[in-house]
Amino acid sequence: MLWGVDVWRHARDTVRSMYAYIARRILEAIPLIVLVLVMNFVILHVAPGDPVFLFIQGGGGATEEYVAQVREMLGLDRPLGEQLLIFITNVFRGNLGFSHFYQRPVIDIIAERIPITLLLVVLSTILAATAGIILGVFAGKNPYSLVDRVNTVVAVFGYAIPIFWFGQLLILAFSIYLNILPTGGIPSRAMGGGSFLDWVRHLVLPVISLGVIQLALTARITRANMLEILGMDYIDSARAKGLKENTVVFRHALRNAVLPVVTVISVNFAFQLTGAMIIETVFSWPGLGRMMFESVFRRDYPVLMGLLIVMSVGVVVVNLITDLIYAYLDPRVVYE
Amino acid sequence: MPLSPDRAAEGLAEKLWDFWRGYRRNKGAVFGLFFLIILVLIAVSADWITEFGPMDTGIGRPLQAPSGRYLMGTDDLARDIFSGVVHGARVSLMVGFTAALTAALIGVIIGSISGYFGGMTDDLLMKFCELFQSMPRFLFALVIVVFFGNTIWNVVVVIGILSWPRTGRLVRSEFLHLRESEFVMAAKGIGMSSARIIFRHILPNAMHVVLVTASLEVGAAIITEAGLSFLGAGDPNLMSWGRMLYNAQRFLRTAWWLAIFPGSAIFLTVLSLSLIGDGLNDALNPKLKRIKR
């Protein structure tokens, strides 16, 4: 039996080990970030041509003095090891280089557009995961039923359809044929838009096309978990207690079936992020993806490299956060 | 069970027939295989099927709707869409299969070493795998292709190198399980080398995992290539499905056929590959077999 002091001790130990766990996970993430940066550095240096010209874009009009100046500024005349150190230090200081096209530091251009892209990613992830869980629960509850077959179709569809083509189809159907939704862009104040409804109208199609893979994944995982959990002993005992079927399914089984979805979202985050970048091109959404698309077109290397760095570090950080959330939600995780 | 080479050759026809009996049970998989075979035939005979080259401009009026002469219409430069779709099959199949093969090779090597030896090697390789899995792979591919030049070979190599983790993980877990089995113990007992045990004894038993995953990776690689081309980072000298969709984007309002045909081609191809993957799993997975028979 636990007395007051024991309860307190137990709580203290739990909190302590939780902090230790958080600290350990953060420490584990750091080498991962450094490794990602090293890979970026390697790409930059293994790519054909003098890296200095990547930074001054073609460098056709650049004078020799300017080239020398940039080379010195970036430390490209130093030994490779030192260059790597300079590269990593610069990234940690938020210095990702300068875009000659935008005439601004890369980090500023990226930071400005992150919220616009995240809006798309977060909305579609949440909505698709919710829909996927609902679909998965009903499919798992009634295997081989109509809902289950719908689930199978969604899974196959989500795997095989290129999301950018799905986006184009949605535009063809809803914006051009039915003419009920805008073909793309975000609401503009100047055009008298910007109301909540206007935002919703602009978000519907991109969010759906981006969410289709997440929906398929979540539904499949939830269904599989549901099937497994509904065969477990504790479910039998809940039923034997005479609980209503709905209580058994939605209170007892669902909780445990949904937990792995957190992991799926985390693992899939990088994919959603890059998916958003393609979808933005389809729907003229002025976020990171559009900038990426234009930078590919212009061969704006500093912007592309900066994007890659921000994205890869961002993914590591998001995965870390979801791991911590998972540990918080799932009492079975041992903070060893 | 592991087969010695001579016995394998002896029973090959029988094994193939056995495989087909398991495979044909899955109707979707049979459809997928049928579609893929047709597609390969189309890709091989592309030049004979089409009247115009995929890059030939001005073969008629621009942006013509599908008709008897231009089966899938023409684009803004008056290129034949049908020819583009047919020739695009070459690019997609080539990229898909070569990239998947590369990914399978890397995945098998890393997965088997990781699963067979375990311990520190396993930890390290799995961390490496995790890194590859969690990074924004499409963006990596895009940056590499842009930096190294957008040739079809760069596209293939990049996709192959970035897609091994799924195979790697699955092979590893098969190895973790198989290395404890009696035939491996016996092989170790008579002093067989690790390489021989891995490649001659364990790997053949894990091959079904590799094949099923590879068929999915082919589809994934096709979509990735289409995505790269869609963003204008594909090979400019080849007509690919993704590139056609990139072109279609500007004319959605006026010319639906620019988007519908190449997109359907990607969708049906990847769908077939996924169905084939299911069929392979039904036919090759020994666990499923025992339940069914």
Side-chain angles (χ1 to χ4, degrees):
Chain A
M1 192 179 280
L2 286 172
W3 295 101
V5 176
D6 294 326
V7 170
W8 184 79
R9 265 193 200 140
H10 179 70
R12 189 196 59 190
D13 289 350
T14 310
V15 168
R16 266 193 193 160
S17 56
M18 204 166 78
Y19 277 131
Y21 176 77
I22 293 173
R24 207 192 69 219
R25 290 294 291 118
I26 292 175
L27 281 179
E28 272 177 11
I30 291 173
L32 211 59
I33 290 176
V34 172
L35 210 58
V36 163
L37 292 181
V38 170
M39 283 177 78
N40 286 313
F41 180 80
V42 169
I43 294 176
L44 203 63
H45 282 264
V46 176
D50 188 339
V52 75
F53 290 108
L54 297 180
F55 288 97
I56 51 181
Q57 283 171 6
T63 59
E64 261 175 53
E65 287 87 39
Y66 181 62
V67 173
Q69 197 188 337
V70 172
R71 196 188 298 278
E72 202 192 317
M73 192 182 78
L74 296 167
L76 293 177
D77 46 356
R78 316 265 180 80
L80 219 55
E82 210 171 320
Q83 284 187 41
L84 176 63
L85 212 65
I86 295 175
F87 178 78
I88 291 178
T89 330
N90 274 338
V91 170
F92 276 104
R93 281 191 188 139
N95 178 5
L96 297 179
F98 189 84
S99 164
H100 285 257
F101 176 80
Y102 292 98
Q103 285 295 318
R104 289 172 67 195
V106 169
I107 187 88
D108 291 356
I109 321 168
I110 293 178
E112 196 174 273
R113 285 160 194 256
I114 285 179
I116 311 176
T117 296
L118 275 188
L119 175 68
L120 218 54
V121 175
V122 171
L123 256 183
S124 87
T125 303
I126 292 176
L127 292 177
T130 314
I133 289 170
I134 295 173
L135 189 57
V137 165
F138 282 101
K141 205 177 122 199
N142 314 305
Y144 310 110
S145 66
L146 184 67
V147 188
D148 196 23
R149 252 174 279 161
V150 169
N151 188 42
T152 312
V153 171
V154 167
V156 173
F157 188 78
Y159 167 77
I161 202 161
I163 52 171
F164 46 96
W165 183 57
F166 186 47
Q168 289 183 330
L169 288 182
L170 291 178
I171 292 180
L172 281 173
F174 292 96
S175 310
I176 293 170
Y177 186 70
L178 294 174
N179 198 15
I180 47 173
L181 288 167
T183 52
I186 56 171
S188 111
R189 283 266 162 70
M191 302 283 284
S195 65
F196 179 71
L197 195 72
D198 201 19
W199 273 100
V200 171
R201 276 165 44 82
H202 281 86
L203 275 163
V204 174
L205 297 185
V207 163
I208 292 179
S209 26
L210 182 55
V212 63
I213 293 177
Q214 183 83 52
L215 170 72
L217 269 177
T218 321
R220 210 185 59 204
I221 302 281
T222 313
R223 175 189 182 269
N225 286 328
M226 218 46 199
L227 272 180
E228 193 192 325
I229 287 168
L230 284 175
M232 283 185 170
D233 289 347
Y234 83 94
I235 294 294
D236 287 343
S237 74
R239 280 190 182 130
K241 273 196 299 193
L243 289 180
K244 283 201 205 95
E245 184 62 18
N246 278 346
T247 317
V248 174
V249 171
F250 294 104
R251 293 288 285 276
H252 290 76
L254 182 59
R255 277 189 180 190
N256 290 314
V258 160
L259 220 42
V261 171
V262 178
T263 314
V264 172
I265 292 176
S266 168
V267 170
N268 205 34
F269 180 74
F271 195 75
Q272 283 297 98
L273 205 56
T274 46
M277 307 190 79
I278 304 181
I279 283 299
E280 284 182 9
T281 308
V282 178
F283 290 96
S284 314
W285 193 263
L288 293 171
R290 256 278 285 287
M291 183 176 77
M292 174 180 79
F293 176 66
E294 288 161 2
S295 303
V296 168
F297 195 69
R298 286 194 287 264
R299 296 290 186 269
D300 194 336
Y301 296 106
V303 169
L304 285 176
M305 198 36 118
L307 258 179
L308 182 56
I309 291 169
V310 169
M311 292 275 159
S312 24
V313 172
V315 167
V316 173
V317 172
V318 167
N319 288 347
L320 170 68
I321 294 172
T322 32
D323 264 13
L324 297 181
I325 293 177
Y326 192 92
Y328 176 78
L329 287 178
D330 190 345
R332 284 169 303 186
V333 170
V334 186
Y335 316 107
E336 11 157 328
Chain B
M1 284 296 108
L3 282 172
S4 63
D6 43 322
R7 268 187 60 202
E10 214 171 83
L12 188 65
E14 197 180 320
K15 280 204 80 141
L16 272 176
W17 176 243
D18 221 36
F19 162 77
W20 175 244
R21 280 205 315 183
Y23 185 88
R24 74 177 174 194
R25 237 181 282 224
N26 187 332
K27 293 281 175 289
V30 173
F31 165 80
L33 191 63
F34 182 69
F35 182 86
L36 194 71
I37 290 173
I38 301 275
L39 193 71
V40 170
L41 291 178
I42 288 177
V44 170
S45 54
D47 289 328
W48 297 303
I49 301 176
T50 56
E51 191 181 342
F52 313 101
M55 298 292 209
D56 296 351
T57 55
I59 55 153
R61 278 182 298 112
L63 296 177
Q64 275 188 77
S67 63
R69 183 159 169 77
Y70 308 107
L71 288 176
M72 296 178 180
T74 59
D75 71 2
D76 56 314
L77 298 175
R79 286 175 295 201
D80 188 24
I81 299 293
F82 175 68
S83 175
V85 169
V86 167
H87 282 83
R90 284 187 176 175
V91 178
S92 284
L93 290 177
M94 207 280 282
V95 169
F97 281 96
T98 327
L101 187 70
T102 316
L105 276 178
I106 304 176
V108 163
I109 292 171
I110 294 188
S112 47
I113 291 175
S114 196
Y116 184 77
F117 292 106
M120 268 287 277
T121 326
D122 184 32
D123 281 353
L124 216 69
L125 287 175
M126 281 304 108
K127 273 275 171 244
F128 190 56
C129 186
E130 208 176 282
L131 173 76
F132 263 77
Q133 269 191 320
S134 69
M135 67 191 193
R137 274 181 279 176
F138 183 76
L139 192 56
F140 251 89
L142 185 79
V143 167
I144 291 175
V145 169
V146 169
F147 275 50
F148 285 73
N150 37 352
T151 65
I152 193 79
W153 290 112
N154 281 349
V155 171
V156 166
V157 169
V158 159
I159 297 177
I161 289 176
L162 290 173
S163 349
W164 64 268
R166 189 157 33 173
T167 314
R169 259 176 198 280
L170 290 170
V171 168
R172 168 184 175 263
S173 63
E174 282 297 307
F175 266 68
L176 277 181
H177 163 73
L178 287 170
R179 72 168 179 186
E180 306 296 341
S181 36
E182 280 164 13
F183 71 89
V184 175
M185 296 290 172
K188 273 185 189 163
I190 59 170
M192 223 175 249
S193 72
S194 295
R196 204 179 152 86
I197 298 177
I198 289 177
F199 291 110
R200 294 294 287 278
H201 293 272
I202 306 186
L203 195 56
N205 286 289
M207 227 31 218
H208 65 99
V209 172
V210 180
L211 276 173
V212 172
T213 322
S215 69
L216 295 179
E217 285 309 344
V218 176
I222 288 177
I223 289 191
T224 308
E225 188 278 329
L228 290 173
S229 299
F230 182 71
L231 292 178
D235 194 323
N237 301 315
L238 295 168
M239 188 52 82
S240 77
W241 293 338
R243 178 177 175 179
M244 297 174 83
L245 290 180
Y246 160 75
N247 200 29
Q249 181 68 29
R250 286 177 299 153
F251 299 101
L252 280 180
R253 206 169 269 286
T254 43
W256 53 266
W257 52 91
L258 295 193
I260 295 291
F261 297 113
S264 311
I266 303 178
F267 177 65
L268 288 174
T269 308
V270 180
L271 181 69
S272 310
L273 286 160
S274 138
L275 294 172
I276 290 174
D278 282 350
L280 287 178
N281 196 32
D282 288 356
L284 297 175
N285 192 337
K287 286 170 208 147
L288 285 179
K289 231 182 221 167
R290 248 169 253 141
I291 296 168
K292 279 193 173 168
R293 281 182 189 169

